[in-house]
Amino acid sequence: MKWMQEQRRYENLTYLALWGMLFAVPVLSLYIRTVNDADYAFNWDELFMIWRQFAIFLLIFLIHNFFLAPLLVYKHKRALYLCSVAVITGLFIVFQCSHRPQGGNRPAPMNHPSMEASQNPPFGDDFGRPPHEGEMDNGPMPLHGELGNKPMPPHGERFGGPEDRMGPKPPAFMGEHDIVALIILLLMLGMNLGVKYYFKSRHDAKQLMVLEKENLEQQLEYLKYQINPHFFMNTLNNIHALVDIDPEQAKDTILELSKMMRFVLYEGDKKGVPLSREFEFIRHYVTLMRMRYTDKVEVKVDLPTETPDYELPPLMLITFIENAFKHGISYQRDSFIHVKAAVKGSSLYFECHNSKADKPNEERGGVGLTNVKQRLNLIYGENYTLNIQDEPDTYNVELVIPLA
């Protein structure tokens, strides 16, 4: 996918920026030295020596980034990854120790006895007097005083043993420089893993969002397919009842139904419809339902005639009104259905109050009401308020949903 390629591009750009800064640091350091010290000349040999050491780390980084790290991060092969890193680390240690400078990690001090010995003249004493006859074979002339009766040590022992003359003894296995290089290598590999895990977490989060979005769309489509047949089934039942009561009214009802079907066919599949279209659909439905009942049923609809430029998921409110007509009409006593909607700020306030039938329907709040609750949860999450109060004589619905 395109966003997967973008993730890899961002990751590679991150590595490129880090290594670019690392290789630029020695250049900047040498430049600052030349600026601060007029007698110091820019030493390209020193720069290339530093870059050669960096190149070793860069080579190991490339091997780890493109071949070893994916084993752990993407394929979860921990054993193979650890063995591979151990081999790479061992080869690095062998290479580092085999290319150690002669004489150990630090050069011999300038005032070491071996340096003093090399500065003494091969012939004569400290005062420049020529040696006496026999001194070359039998050693130096004894001094006068309390040491006069003791022979002087041989020339080599006067200025220290072989270890002193050769400088500090190199470490047997790893020196300080090798340990520091190893620590830098391990930190570099850990940084590489950290960056890979970071971009992998972003990739997983993005993939989860895509899956959740696809699942949401599938659930919404499923709910729509349930709501539409359920709605038309109840509407056709109303028309069937009107055919026997008043055929002329049944014709007008069919005309109103055609208007409603046009809305469902052309607007029902959209994610959102203008508030004016949704309110117009509600008016057509209420007009159709009024034809069926007598004046004993009080139906009041208060919908704004002018609405702001907001959209609403189609057929979101009609379910509550349909539920009120289905379960709130009593044929033995007066009944009422009051519907009200208003836009306040960027929120829609909807109310539907109705009386309850003498014989309550056991299917109250069936498929339609259950589906509309699921749609609200899927679309708005926790950003909406639905308050349903099922009283002994009334059924009240209050809904507040965001429009922006």
Side-chain angles (χ1 to χ4, degrees), residues 156-380:
E157 297 181 4
R158 285 179 58 193
F159 301 104
E163 181 180 351
D164 295 330
R165 293 196 300 271
M166 297 300 297
K169 185 179 180 179
F173 180 59
M174 293 182 64
E176 296 178 5
H177 177 76
D178 305 325
I179 295 176
V180 171
L182 178 61
I183 293 175
I184 293 175
L185 174 68
L186 296 179
L187 290 177
M188 179 188 70
L189 300 183
M191 179 273 297
N192 186 204
L193 286 178
V195 173
K196 276 201 172 296
Y197 272 115
Y198 168 74
F199 282 100
K200 182 179 182 297
S201 63
R202 292 188 58 183
H203 169 270
D204 294 342
K206 185 70 175 180
Q207 189 175 18
L208 181 61
M209 290 178 59
V210 172
L211 293 176
E212 289 179 348
K213 183 179 179 180
E214 292 177 354
N215 185 38
L216 173 63
E217 292 176 352
Q218 290 177 358
Q219 292 187 52
L220 290 176
E221 290 297 325
Y222 174 74
L223 293 176
K224 287 180 182 178
Y225 291 143
Q226 280 191 324
I227 289 175
N228 295 347
H230 181 263
F231 166 76
F232 281 115
M233 178 186 67
N234 292 333
T235 306
L236 290 175
N237 288 335
N238 294 333
I239 295 175
H240 178 268
L242 284 174
V243 170
D244 296 333
I245 299 174
D246 191 343
E248 293 298 326
Q249 258 192 348
K251 294 179 182 179
D252 296 336
T253 303
I254 294 175
L255 180 62
E256 292 293 332
L257 179 61
S258 65
K259 297 177 182 179
M260 296 169 60
M261 290 181 62
R262 185 179 298 109
F263 175 84
V264 173
L265 290 175
Y266 293 103
E267 306 290 345
D269 291 337
K270 297 180 180 180
K271 293 183 179 180
V273 295
L275 284 175
S276 58
R277 300 296 303 276
E278 183 75 13
F279 291 159
E280 181 182 1
F281 178 80
I282 292 175
R283 293 189 183 96
H284 287 308
Y285 178 79
V286 172
T287 301
L288 186 149
M289 297 302 293
R290 276 175 174 167
M291 296 178 182
R292 180 178 176 181
Y293 300 105
T294 63
D295 295 337
K296 291 184 178 181
V297 179
E298 182 186 40
V299 180
K300 293 183 179 181
V301 178
D302 184 8
L303 302 177
T305 56
E306 297 183 0
T307 58
D309 189 17
Y310 288 127
E311 291 188 347
L312 184 73
L315 304 176
M316 180 65 74
L317 305 179
I318 195 65
T319 304
F320 299 106
I321 303 173
E322 179 188 9
N323 188 69
F325 277 100
K326 183 178 180 180
H327 304 287
I329 303 301
S330 174
Y331 293 95
Q332 285 76 26
R333 56 186 179 86
D334 295 344
S335 304
F336 70 90
I337 296 176
H338 296 166
V339 178
K340 183 179 181 181
V343 179
K344 299 179 182 179
S346 59
S347 299
L348 173 66
Y349 291 79
F350 172 80
E351 297 179 4
C352 183
H353 308 283
N354 61 272
S355 57
K356 296 176 66 174
D358 296 333
K359 296 181 179 180
N361 195 327
E362 297 298 331
E363 298 180 356
R364 173 178 298 275
V367 175
L369 192 58
T370 301
N371 286 350
V372 75
K373 290 180 180 179
Q374 293 182 8
R375 291 181 70 194
L376 288 170
N377 290 329
L378 292 172
I379 296 174
Y380 300 105

Side-chain angles (χ1 to χ4, degrees), residues 22-27 44-58:
L22 182 63
F23 275 84
V25 166
V27 180
W44 286 99
D45 293 335
E46 181 180 354
L47 178 63
F48 289 145
M49 181 184 66
I50 297 174
W51 278 357
R52 281 194 297 269
Q53 185 69 21
F54 285 176
I56 298 173
F57 287 99
L58 177 59

Side-chain angles (χ1 to χ4, degrees), residues 12-24 61 191 195:
N12 293 332
L13 288 176
T14 301
Y15 297 142
L16 182 62
L18 292 176
W19 280 104
M21 290 188 293
L22 182 63
F23 275 84
F61 171 81
M191 179 273 297
V195 173

